[in-house]
Amino acid sequence: MKTLGVYNIKGGVGKTATSVNLGHLAAQSGLRTLIWDLDPQGAATFYFRIKPKVKKSTRILNGKRDLDDAIKATDYEGLDLLPADFAYRNMDLLLNEAKKPTRQLSRLLHPVEKDYDLVIFDCPPSISLVSENIFRATDALLVPTIPTTLSQRTLSQLLGFIEDNKVSTPVLSFYSMIDRRKTMHKEISESPGDPRCTVLKSMIPYASDIERMGVERRPVIEYAPSSVAGRAYRELWDEVSAHLGVPGLTTHS
Amino acid sequence: MSTHDSVCFLLSFEDTPDVLCTRLSEYVDCVIEPSVSTSYCYLDSFDWRLHQSGLMLLQLDTHVELQEKKSGQVLHTAAINKTPVWATDLPAGGARDQLSKILEMRALMPVVCVDTRSTTLAIRDEDGKTVVRLRIDNNKCHAPNVRGHSILSPHATLLPLKGYAKEMLELEKILLEEFDLTKAPVASQYAEALAAIGRKPGDYTSKLSFRLKPGMTTGHAMHMILLHLLNTIKANIEGTREDIDSEFLHDLRVATRRTRSALTQVKKVLPPKVLEDYKNRFAWVGQITGPTRDMDVFQLDYDNFRASLPPQMRGHLEPLHEFIEEHHHSEQKLLKRRLNSAQFRKLIEEWEDYLKTEPETGEEMPNSSRAVLDVSRERIWKMYRLVLKEGRAITYDSPPEDMHELRKSCKKLRYLMEFFSSLYPAAKIESQIKVLKVLLNNLGDFQDYEVQAAKLMSVGEQMKKEGKAPTQTVMAMGVLVANLLSRQEQAHKDFSSCFAGFDTPQNHSLNRELFKPATNPEKEEKA
């Protein structure tokens, strides 16, 4: 089972749209995929029309039963979701024993290890103990970055943090919400990028098709398969799947 | 990725997706999703190993699905680019691992092919989220490589979605109580497709699956046994001819050997002329199938042979591999010609005609009209006593021929017990066969390792003659021969304890209870 963290210190960079669309494409590639919605805002949960039902119990996760009860199938074959409320509430387990994050995360994932080929963590913004643990324990960290000075600065902050804290997880960044009409977007996206991470070639445009996700409550490929945005997510998945060493769409078909 | 089982319902032809969705809309929000046409074939080995293991293997265009028969749950999928014949044709993964263990040396074959038009009804909640799906399948089926098809009754399958068990139960209740639908096992579509092409799961087994009645005459019983064996031979001819896998020839040879054993061991049932004629003709079948079987055994053992060598010698064995492949090919060609010959065809036809006539009776075959239970007791008891006598006489220093003779007697005893097992209490006779098998395995090891070592040496000679035996290969084969002979020696050492496990007072008293004929005391005294 492979794990991918989708993260940015800054909010509103297209992080959840990335998790939802890549999760959907991963499932289409034949990977049994779970999206773990860690963002308390629960946007991924909302996009899949799943009700974030908050249960009264606050006990922490300790077995397959709890996890199984909480996981919901999406409308797409091979793609399940762990809704926001549950996933976030159980992160205190990670927080309590932050010293061994890899072990803690694998303990959390252990009950479903055989059920999934890929787990995508849709992380909350800002650097917290939860996100720090995800940095350390996933196979790769995917960072959507808007090509603006401020976003570049937050990427640099993140990479600095990763460097200072000796995190060895590879960081893959890509440009998100890119508007080629803007000079700054064009210039930054054409510059070589921060050498401390791998800058992917794929770029996700600023597109109304992506904004429509909130209305459609479906992944882009479902309602605009041949749109520019749809194609861009496919290309991004091709690159990410290659980095993770899992089958991509091309390998699958 | 669901933890719940699918639920299947039988539909009538009037229950179209439109009709069902309209009716369901009275209770839930129902949407018809686009229809999908799929074609797939069910695969299994000739002897139904997947069926026996409670599994179904479906071959679709781009992948195979290994499903649990009872729940329909997909256990594993694996990508394919051609019809898989061997488990090893599948990419590494769960499907390949599980199938390898079950199928062993058996090939996969398409059993029945189905064309399905599926329409799914999505049942949604107030947010438009699909919470359960009902798939309606209209199926047609046909036998592999056969034109024309049979139309099967439509089915509906409730497909669970993880996290929505409650919604599924609610819909199941509606379908059962309001729609009055009948549940069907998930595998019923498979069973129905098989029935439509005239097949039944498990319709072939190499086991002796007939049932004799204690009061029937030995003549009738023998005709039944021999006809069963003939059917096994016939069932395996095509697969042997086409060399689908090595088990076809193996089963054909075992059924031939059992036929010969039945002819000679159950005496005075068939007229001597008939007996003599068919004994010789089936001995011929044994002869013509032997060389291909030898090559099959080498092929099956090759990987183990290779692995038994020190790593640096393993590569040296390749010329042996090539030799086996080449000779297997030529022997198989010859065998195919012989199986196509008039001699073989006539043997099968004439034997079948003979066995379908009333058993002959008369002075030359006094046992024919006697009750089979009595005759079987006499024969098994006699053979059992012979095994005891021969076995007890063997010491570590006895010549190997004595062990070989004992093996033959044990095999005869085993065949007799198996032919007539349905006449005796199942648990008791099965336990006796099991005890005998332990001894037979030891004797088999003793002889087979020796025979294989001898065959390997003769293959070495032949390779040399053909200029295909580099020195390193001969040396590697020498190591194999030494290994085989040391394993034979181990079997030799183990014999006395194996025989002691057979020759126990408990075993003897059970054999006595089961088989000892009620004879007059005088006769028994002499025996």
Side-chain angles (χ1 to χ4, degrees):
Chain A
M1 188 179 70
K2 296 279 184 182
T3 51
L4 175 73
V6 183
Y7 177 77
N8 196 313
I9 298 177
K10 205 175 165 317
V13 295
K15 185 178 53 62
T16 300
T18 303
S19 304
V20 166
N21 285 300
L22 292 197
H24 178 242
L25 288 163
Q28 285 193 341
S29 306
L31 296 173
R32 297 164 304 158
T33 306
L34 174 71
I35 296 177
W36 191 308
D37 189 358
L38 284 168
D39 192 335
Q41 295 172 61
T45 307
F46 172 81
Y47 281 148
F48 285 113
R49 299 171 186 255
I50 292 168
K51 288 193 184 84
K53 216 189 290 170
V54 182
K55 285 181 188 169
K56 281 179 188 159
S57 159
T58 52
R59 71 201 168 100
I60 53 163
L61 171 74
N62 57 11
K64 188 170 168 66
R65 184 90 187 268
D66 291 340
L67 203 61
D68 252 3
D69 285 352
I71 291 174
K72 297 273 183 187
T74 68
D75 287 4
Y76 312 101
E77 204 185 325
L79 181 61
D80 290 353
L81 179 118
L82 189 60
D85 63 306
F86 180 88
Y88 199 75
R89 206 172 62 232
N90 284 286
M91 277 297 129
D92 47 6
L93 205 154
L94 269 178
L95 287 166
N96 286 340
E97 292 179 62
K99 278 182 191 162
K100 288 167 185 164
T102 318
R103 199 180 298 168
Q104 287 311 315
L105 193 70
S106 52
R107 206 174 109 189
L108 269 175
L109 288 173
H110 180 69
V112 293
E113 214 167 28
K114 285 191 180 141
D115 297 340
Y116 298 100
D117 304 309
L118 176 67
V119 178
I120 297 176
F121 295 94
D122 186 27
C123 303
S126 83
I127 293 184
S128 64
L129 272 172
V130 170
S131 42
E132 191 186 329
N133 285 317
I134 298 288
F135 299 168
R136 289 185 191 277
T138 48
D139 292 309
L141 203 59
L142 184 65
V143 186
T145 309
I146 305 176
T148 61
T149 322
L150 205 60
S151 283
Q152 289 295 99
R153 208 176 140 257
T154 55
L155 174 64
S156 180
Q157 277 176 345
L158 170 66
L159 294 169
F161 178 88
I162 282 179
E163 209 170 43
D164 294 347
N165 290 279
K166 297 189 174 64
V167 176
S168 57
T169 309
V171 176
L172 313 171
S173 87
F174 69 94
Y175 291 112
S176 170
M177 300 175 81
I178 187 166
D179 185 347
R180 289 204 155 267
R181 288 166 306 181
K182 291 182 180 165
T183 319
M184 187 197 273
H185 279 206
K186 201 165 178 299
E187 278 174 11
I188 292 180
S189 65
E190 283 168 5
S191 68
D194 198 310
R196 291 171 294 176
C197 67
T198 305
V199 184
L200 301 177
K201 287 193 193 103
S202 320
M203 297 183 194
I204 304 298
Y206 180 82
S208 55
D209 280 333
I210 301 176
E211 283 194 326
R212 259 173 62 208
M213 273 177 73
V215 183
E216 294 280 348
R217 298 178 75 179
R218 289 188 287 168
V220 173
I221 307 287
E222 283 292 313
Y223 58 86
S226 48
S227 64
V228 176
R231 284 205 306 273
Y233 277 121
R234 272 197 208 99
E235 281 167 20
L236 179 63
W237 170 240
D238 273 348
E239 273 193 275
V240 172
S241 58
H243 274 278
L244 284 172
V246 295
L249 278 179
T250 350
T251 6
H252 186 62
S253 56
Chain B
M1 283 183 286
S2 169
T3 45
H4 294 275
D5 293 349
S6 308
V7 182
C8 196
F9 299 92
L10 202 63
L11 296 180
S12 73
F13 286 99
E14 288 78 44
D15 296 325
T16 63
D18 285 330
V19 168
L20 285 174
C21 197
T22 310
R23 285 186 66 193
L24 275 172
S25 297
E26 291 173 28
Y27 307 88
V28 285
D29 178 19
C30 172
V31 178
I32 302 181
E33 293 185 341
S35 299
V36 183
S37 294
T38 334
S39 294
Y40 56 91
C41 291
Y42 289 94
L43 308 180
D44 206 333
S45 65
F46 185 66
D47 57 355
W48 299 93
R49 290 188 181 199
L50 301 185
H51 164 76
Q52 309 289 5
S53 308
L55 298 168
M56 302 189 288
L57 184 67
L58 278 70
Q59 182 203 345
L60 294 102
D61 282 347
T62 56
H63 67 283
V64 289
E65 279 183 15
L66 185 61
Q67 295 185 4
E68 193 182 62
K69 206 162 51 188
K70 197 165 156 254
S71 64
Q73 199 190 337
V74 177
L75 303 173
H76 301 287
T77 61
I80 50 162
N81 47 26
K82 62 176 174 85
T83 302
V85 177
W86 309 104
T88 48
D89 289 344
L90 298 175
R96 176 174 161 162
D97 292 347
Q98 197 168 352
L99 289 172
S100 295
K101 276 184 214 145
I102 297 169
L103 293 169
E104 298 175 291
M105 73 300 279
R106 290 239 74 154
L108 286 167
M109 299 169 75
V111 183
V112 62
C113 297
V114 180
D115 299 316
T116 298
R117 183 145 181 88
S118 302
T119 309
T120 303
L121 308 184
I123 310 304
R124 299 180 175 182
D125 66 9
E126 59 279 13
D127 287 329
K129 165 83 182 78
T130 303
V131 289
V132 57
R133 287 194 169 97
L134 183 69
R135 193 190 66 218
I136 297 146
D137 294 330
N138 285 284
N139 297 335
K140 289 187 296 192
C141 76
H142 61 91
N145 307 318
V146 170
R147 282 184 167 205
H149 59 253
S150 314
I151 292 179
L152 306 173
S153 48
H155 281 73
T157 309
L158 258 182
L159 305 167
L161 284 176
K162 195 165 193 145
Y164 297 96
K166 201 180 86 193
E167 288 82 352
M168 173 157 156
L169 281 174
E170 280 167 11
L171 190 64
E172 187 182 334
K173 204 172 159 206
I174 293 172
L175 294 174
L176 287 172
E177 291 174 9
E178 308 297 330
F179 287 40
D180 219 11
L181 294 184
T182 316
K183 272 197 200 181
V186 176
S188 67
Q189 302 194 58
Y190 182 25
E192 206 189 324
L194 285 172
I197 62 159
R199 298 284 310 264
K200 211 171 123 195
D203 58 11
Y204 172 80
T205 166
S206 61
K207 295 195 177 106
L208 302 171
S209 53
F210 49 81
R211 289 205 65 80
L212 304 174
K213 287 180 193 132
M216 75 198 294
T217 68
T218 310
H220 281 108
M222 287 314 291
H223 275 230
M224 191 190 233
I225 294 168
L226 290 164
L227 201 54
H228 177 92
L229 292 169
L230 177 63
N231 285 335
T232 305
I233 292 174
K234 281 168 65 185
N236 284 290
I237 293 172
E238 185 61 19
T240 302
R241 200 184 275 147
E242 298 309 318
D243 193 23
I244 292 170
D245 66 40
S246 58
E247 284 303 282
F248 285 98
L249 175 59
H250 180 246
D251 283 3
L252 186 147
R253 278 173 59 79
V254 171
T256 303
R257 211 181 300 136
R258 280 175 168 159
T259 300
R260 289 167 63 201
S261 192
L263 288 173
T264 50
Q265 289 313 303
V266 191
K267 298 179 195 302
K268 296 175 185 167
V269 179
L270 296 186
K273 262 190 184 170
V274 173
L275 180 72
E276 206 48 32
D277 180 27
Y278 285 103
K279 222 171 73 183
N280 293 334
R281 290 166 83 179
F282 279 106
W284 172 74
V285 177
Q287 280 161 21
I288 62 163
T289 53
T292 310
R293 177 63 193 166
D294 288 347
M295 289 299 141
D296 277 344
V297 172
F298 276 134
Q299 272 186 336
L300 292 168
D301 285 344
Y302 182 76
D303 287 343
N304 287 337
F305 276 167
R306 199 174 182 280
S308 71
L309 289 174
Q312 59 271 39
M313 288 185 94
R314 288 176 191 163
H316 302 162
L317 216 53
E318 193 45 36
L320 172 66
H321 192 228
E322 284 164 17
F323 182 90
I324 296 168
E325 293 288 318
E326 200 181 295
H327 282 255
H328 184 271
H329 184 72
S330 53
E331 291 299 351
Q332 173 64 30
K333 242 170 104 178
L334 194 60
L335 174 62
K336 188 174 176 173
R337 243 191 356 249
R338 283 171 166 164
L339 292 179
N340 286 335
S341 69
Q343 191 178 353
F344 184 77
R345 204 184 56 242
K346 267 178 74 183
L347 163 63
I348 300 299
E349 284 169 5
E350 288 171 13
W351 187 224
E352 184 162 16
D353 287 345
Y354 180 78
L355 293 175
K356 282 184 174 166
T357 56
E358 264 302 292
E360 294 181 71
T361 49
E363 262 179 32
E364 286 181 315
M365 44 263 173
N367 281 340
S368 179
S369 48
R370 289 179 60 205
V372 64
L373 183 63
D374 296 342
V375 176
S376 77
R377 273 200 175 127
E378 273 171 28
R379 287 303 308 149
I380 295 174
W381 183 244
K382 194 166 178 190
M383 194 50 72
Y384 166 68
R385 287 170 61 94
L386 181 66
V387 165
L388 281 185
K389 194 175 151 201
E390 287 177 355
R392 283 172 182 168
I394 291 175
T395 65
Y396 184 79
D397 299 320
S398 301
E401 292 73 35
D402 290 1
M403 298 263 283
H404 297 169
E405 276 310 310
L406 175 62
R407 186 192 184 193
K408 280 192 212 162
S409 304
C410 283
K411 264 206 160 162
K412 287 172 189 166
L413 177 60
R414 177 183 160 181
Y415 286 157
L416 285 170
M417 283 179 169
E418 287 174 343
F419 292 151
F420 301 116
S421 67
S422 57
L423 298 170
Y424 299 91
K428 285 183 179 173
I429 187 125
E430 273 160 24
S431 91
Q432 291 314 90
I433 294 173
K434 221 165 138 187
V435 171
L436 180 61
K437 273 185 184 172
V438 176
L439 176 59
L440 256 170
N441 283 344
N442 170 262
L443 292 165
D445 283 352
F446 179 77
Q447 191 173 7
D448 292 346
Y449 289 136
E450 187 193 3
V451 167
Q452 235 189 344
K455 278 185 182 159
L456 211 50
M457 285 195 275
S458 100
V459 163
E461 285 292 325
Q462 212 176 329
M463 285 172 75
K464 248 176 111 183
K465 261 188 225 159
E466 294 178 25
K468 290 172 183 164
T471 314
Q472 287 176 324
T473 305
V474 175
M475 289 172 83
M477 287 170 70
V479 175
L480 295 182
V481 170
N483 287 346
L484 288 167
L485 292 178
S486 90
R487 289 165 86 174
Q488 189 211 10
E489 179 49 27
Q490 189 55 49
H492 192 188
K493 283 179 186 158
D494 293 344
F495 170 75
S496 61
S497 68
C498 283
F499 187 76
F502 174 79
D503 188 11
T504 63
Q506 297 94 314
N507 195 31
H508 188 65
S509 94
L510 194 51
N511 276 324
R512 213 182 151 86
E513 174 198 327
L514 288 173
F515 310 122
K516 190 171 181 289
T519 47
N520 64 58
E522 237 174 78
K523 207 174 169 186
E524 188 179 330
E525 202 58 41
K526 277 183 199 166

